[in-house]
């Protein structure tokens, strides 16, 4: 979902039905409320210019340019298959990447033809046999939420591009063939975590390898020199807030950080050092800005996703950026369902709802299937650590002893207990199969406070297992139907690792576990993920050994308490196995 900067149009992808993955490109005229089909697809992604007048997308390796006001779609000839096409902010030229899996190059096509902007296919030998790639995010970017590898300047005359060649570097490329390097201490700060260029010069966040210290830097687009705007530091790891840093219209730089002194334990927003959000608001991301009718010029409100008081509830807030004598000012707008949150001009889109300012004006037509279940999980806060927990019963359950299935999601860093119907659809299927499905958010889970999230540093296994066991026992006080002699666990990825860990190391509580697509050895994870939680393998070898389940699973053998499954395994097969284990 993308809203033009003038607020006149909303571009979005829509499938033709609930079981059709072939999404088409549509545009909403905000003034009239009319929706128009632009391109039938299948389209997996697209990008637009500043005002959402022009869109670019790839299909079958070919490049397409769509006029969102007239509805015309034009195929643009290119010499190579196209990936990640993006029009410049004025909609005149389109940049794109070729060969993203190899020696990726960055090219630009427009009125002056199609030409290479950056690429080194013939010089891979310089990097000891490795490939040199331009314009792709790079393998180490995903753990920081950075999915892109190049950005247009606001005036469309420059491109900021990542060069990946063993290490990551950043470069400013002029369309007239001039270019400069972006200068920072890449040896000390090798992780390029965030990049944004939407006003003023580029802003980037770079982190040390162990992620305990970072810098927010502004980049001079003429020279590539950088200036420090803020430092981020934490004894465990730094957690930048998505959507930051960014320039505010009055020239201040918005930075996401943490307030951890004078009794505060908060994830907040700051503008040039001034606190903009109250400590009680856990900020999850910044989506954009909306003008403030009664505010000074150049001081719009921020649109923020966060949680206020209840970590299970995600909501949308307006945050005042103009500083006043009354401290931070926050207005709650609406609850957020799904992930869509976008702004442009005075228009806000949350989920499928379109707002103008604080007023909901319409909803986008949706073809999604009706959700099969209407789950009603009972949400709790348990133990002296106030761990978020939830219990979901079978439909129509009136009482009796139930085996327990602990749903672990995707593991540390993912939130299981959420007050959203869609989060409990699959879990209701398991409940209706005869289980009390329990969700628990142990320490290490976001949404509460930085100290809660980071307490697991270098001791994930011990703390998370302790929390799971303590929460289960505490839940029986209000839910006596839970039979703690018949407990199974199920998770995916690192959640699968956690499920296996529970069954192997706490068998007196967890009788069995299904580990779906499990990560058994943390050293096989992307380095930024493993080091964020467990530290440097060079001086924390014992920590990695304590979290490695490979030998324990081998000793347990195929008849042990853990079933390893892949994405091809049907849940019904897992259900049969769990029933057999609990009945043994």
């Amino acid at each position: 979902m993308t809203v033009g900067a003038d607020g006149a149009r909303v571009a979005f992808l829509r499938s033709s039905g609930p079981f059709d993955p072939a999404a088409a490109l549509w545009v909403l005229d905000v003034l009239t409320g009319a929706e128009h089909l632009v391109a039938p697809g299948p389209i997996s992604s697209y990008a637009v210019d500043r005002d959402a007048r022009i869109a670019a997308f790839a299909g079958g390796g070919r490049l397409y340019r769509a006029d969102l006001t007239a509805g015309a779609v034009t195929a643009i000839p290119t010499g190579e298959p196209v990936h990640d096409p993006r029009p410049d902010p004025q909609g005149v030229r389109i940049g794109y990447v070729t060969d993203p899996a190899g020696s990726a190059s960055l090219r630009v096509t427009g009125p002056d033809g199609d030409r290479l902007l950056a690429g080194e296919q013939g010089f891979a030998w310089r990097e000891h046999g490795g490939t040199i790639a331009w314009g792709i995010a790079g393998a180490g970017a995903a753990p920081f939420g950075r999915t892109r590898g190049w950005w247009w300047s606001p005036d469309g005359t420059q491109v900021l591009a990542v060069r990946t060649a063993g290490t990551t570097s950043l470069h400013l490329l002029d369309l007239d063939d001039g270019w400069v390097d972006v200068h920072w201490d890449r040896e000390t700060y090798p992780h390029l975590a965030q990049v944004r260029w939407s006003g003023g010069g580029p802003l980037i966040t770079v982190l040390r390898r162990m992620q305990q210290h970072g810098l927010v830097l502004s980049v001079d687009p003429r020279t590539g020199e950088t200036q420090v705007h803020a430092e981020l530091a934490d004894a465990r790891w730094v957690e930048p807030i998505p959507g930051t840093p960014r320039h505010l219209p009055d020239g201040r730089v918005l930075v996401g950080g943490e307030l951890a002194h004078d009794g505060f334990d908060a994830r907040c927003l700051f503008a040039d050092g001034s606190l903009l959000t109250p400590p009680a608001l856990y900020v999850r991301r910044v989506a954009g800005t909306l003008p403030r009718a009664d505010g000074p010029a150049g001081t719009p409100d921020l649109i923020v996703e966060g949680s206020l008081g209840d970590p299970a509830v995600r909501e949308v807030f307006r945050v005042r950026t103009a500083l006043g004598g009354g401290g931070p000012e926050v207005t709650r707008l609406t609850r957020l369902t799904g992930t869509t949150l976008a702004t442009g001009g005075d228009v806000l889109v949350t989920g499928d709802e379109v707002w103008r300012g604080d007023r909901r004006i319409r909803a986008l037509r949706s073809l999604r299937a009706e959700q099969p279940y209407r789950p009603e999980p009972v949400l709790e806060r348990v133990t002296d650590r106030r761990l978020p927990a939830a219990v979901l019963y079978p439909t129509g359950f009136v009482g009796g002893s139930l085996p327990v299935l602990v749903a672990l999601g995707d593991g540390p860093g993912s939130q299981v207990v959420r007050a959203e119907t869609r989060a409990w659809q699959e879990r209701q299927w398991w409940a209706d199969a005869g289980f009390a499905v329990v969700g628990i958010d142990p320490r290490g889970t976001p949404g509460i406070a930085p100290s809660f999230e980071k307490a697991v540093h270098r001791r994930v296994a011990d703390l998370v297992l302790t929390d799971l066991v303590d929460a289960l026992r505490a839940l029986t006080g209000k839910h006596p139907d839970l039979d703690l002699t018949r407990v199974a666990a199920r998770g995916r990825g690192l959640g699968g690792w956690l499920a296996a860990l529970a069954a192997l190391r706490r068998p007196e509580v967890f009788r069995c576990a299904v580990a779906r697509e499990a990560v058994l050895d943390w050293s096989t994870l992307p380095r930024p993920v493993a080091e964020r939680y467990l530290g440097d393998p060079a001086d924390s070898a014992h920590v990695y050994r304590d979290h490695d389940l490979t030998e324990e699973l081998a000793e347990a053998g195929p008849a042990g308490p853990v079933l390893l499954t892949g994405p091809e395994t049907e849940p019904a097969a897992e259900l049969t196995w769990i029933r057999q284990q609990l009945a043994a």
Side-chain angles (χ1 to χ4, degrees):
M1 196 83 70
T2 313
V3 187
D6 59 2
R9 281 162 298 280
V10 178
F12 60 96
L13 295 180
R14 170 190 279 143
S15 65
S16 60
F19 306 107
D20 183 1
L25 179 61
W26 289 72
V27 65
L28 167 75
D29 186 310
V30 175
L31 181 61
T32 66
E35 299 178 10
H36 303 283
L37 174 64
V38 177
I43 300 170
S44 59
S45 65
Y46 69 95
V48 299
D49 64 351
R50 179 183 292 116
D51 290 334
R53 295 178 179 273
I54 300 297
F57 60 90
R62 301 184 65 188
L63 174 61
Y64 294 91
R65 179 184 186 273
D67 186 328
L68 299 182
T69 59
V73 178
T74 305
I76 308 295
T78 60
E80 299 179 65
V82 170
H83 303 268
D84 191 26
R86 298 181 178 274
D88 69 30
Q90 287 71 39
V92 176
R93 297 176 176 85
I94 298 175
Y96 63 93
V97 174
T98 63
D99 190 21
S103 299
S105 299
L106 189 58
R107 303 185 67 89
V108 174
T109 183
D112 50 355
D114 187 298
R115 63 190 182 92
L116 178 69
L117 191 61
E120 301 171 68
Q121 299 97 318
F123 299 97
W125 59 270
R126 291 182 177 178
E127 302 297 334
H128 308 289
T131 57
I132 303 173
W134 283 86
I136 62 172
F144 303 106
R146 181 171 63 81
T147 59
R148 296 177 54 183
W150 70 278
W151 301 262
W152 283 106
S153 65
D155 63 5
T157 63
Q158 287 179 292
V159 165
L160 181 64
V162 171
R163 180 180 184 266
T164 304
T167 61
T168 298
S169 57
L170 200 57
H171 309 268
L172 285 155
L173 313 175
D174 294 331
L175 295 189
D176 61 4
D177 296 324
W179 67 305
V180 295
D181 301 334
V182 176
H183 302 288
W184 81 90
D185 185 352
R186 293 193 291 118
E187 184 173 343
T188 304
Y189 298 92
H191 293 312
L192 179 63
Q194 297 168 312
V195 179
R196 185 175 182 84
W197 198 358
S198 59
L203 292 169
I204 64 175
T205 302
V206 295
L207 302 177
R208 289 179 180 264
R209 179 184 156 188
M210 289 298 107
Q211 304 169 53
Q212 294 166 335
H213 189 269
L215 301 174
V216 176
L217 305 172
S218 62
V219 180
D220 187 324
R222 296 170 298 124
T223 65
E225 296 298 324
T226 56
Q227 176 185 351
V228 178
H229 268 283
E231 293 191 44
L232 308 174
D234 191 277
R236 292 132 326 170
W237 71 82
V238 167
E239 189 76 34
I241 293 178
T244 67
R246 67 170 64 212
H247 283 290
L248 297 176
D250 61 5
R252 292 177 296 163
V253 174
L254 180 73
V255 175
E258 294 169 4
L259 198 59
H261 58 79
D262 296 332
F264 292 113
D265 184 10
R267 186 166 157 87
C268 304
L269 297 174
F270 303 84
D272 283 358
S274 298
L275 182 65
L276 295 184
T277 53
L281 175 61
Y282 181 99
V283 178
R284 296 178 181 270
R285 62 168 160 158
V286 178
T289 62
L290 285 180
R292 188 179 183 92
D294 60 346
T299 55
D301 287 348
L302 297 171
I303 298 301
V304 170
E305 177 192 344
S307 296
L308 188 60
D310 187 350
V313 178
R314 297 178 302 134
E315 297 180 284
V316 182
F317 300 87
R318 288 184 75 128
V319 176
R320 184 167 185 157
T321 60
L323 298 176
E329 183 180 325
V330 173
T331 303
R332 179 186 277 113
L333 291 182
T334 184
R335 287 180 67 155
L336 182 65
T337 58
T339 59
T340 299
L341 185 59
T343 67
D346 62 348
V347 172
L348 165 69
V349 180
T350 66
D352 55 8
E353 295 183 338
V354 182
W355 298 61
R356 173 151 269 153
D358 294 342
R359 183 172 58 89
R360 179 183 178 278
I361 58 175
R362 61 179 46 88
L364 294 168
R365 183 169 55 91
S366 175
L367 302 179
R368 62 172 174 257
E370 288 294 323
Q371 295 177 341
Y373 301 108
R374 298 187 181 276
E376 297 181 355
V378 182
L379 274 57
E380 311 276 8
R381 300 293 291 273
V382 297
T383 79
D384 57 353
R385 294 182 291 281
R386 289 186 50 77
L387 303 172
V391 179
L392 182 66
Y393 290 104
T395 303
F397 179 72
V398 294
S401 178
L402 287 172
V404 177
L405 177 68
V406 180
L408 296 171
D410 293 334
S414 66
Q415 195 169 351
V416 172
V417 182
R418 292 160 48 192
E420 300 173 29
T421 300
R422 68 177 61 191
W424 296 90
Q425 292 295 309
E426 182 185 6
R427 298 172 203 168
Q428 187 67 65
W429 180 86
W430 283 91
D432 288 351
F435 292 91
V437 177
V438 171
I440 300 168
D441 284 337
R443 282 170 288 182
T445 306
I448 297 177
S451 65
F452 186 89
E453 188 171 351
K454 299 177 182 181
V456 297
H457 187 238
R458 294 167 60 94
R459 49 182 186 160
V460 179
D462 294 339
L463 291 193
V464 172
L465 263 186
T466 296
D467 285 354
L468 292 178
V469 173
D470 289 351
L472 273 174
R473 290 171 174 164
L475 281 170
T476 58
K478 292 185 178 180
H479 301 272
D481 295 315
L482 273 58
D483 181 357
L484 294 194
T485 68
R486 295 182 293 160
V487 179
R490 181 177 183 265
R492 175 185 171 275
L494 279 177
W497 166 83
L498 183 53
L501 180 81
L504 291 169
R505 298 190 184 176
R506 297 301 300 267
E508 79 283 5
V509 178
F510 295 91
R511 293 269 300 276
C512 63
V514 171
R516 194 174 181 89
E517 302 171 66
V519 176
L520 303 178
D521 180 357
W522 281 67
S523 65
T524 63
L525 289 167
R527 176 180 286 180
V529 176
E531 293 180 345
R532 178 183 304 160
Y533 287 101
L534 303 188
D536 186 349
D539 58 26
S540 303
H542 65 289
V543 177
Y544 281 79
R545 284 195 301 270
D546 183 54
H547 288 73
D548 187 349
L549 300 182
T550 307
E551 291 186 7
E552 292 175 64
L553 278 171
E555 292 175 2
V562 178
L563 176 66
L564 300 177
T565 65
E568 73 286 349
T569 306
E570 291 293 334
E574 298 176 348
L575 171 62
T576 299
W577 183 85
I578 290 175
R579 282 173 168 166
Q580 292 171 346
Q581 296 298 308
L582 295 182

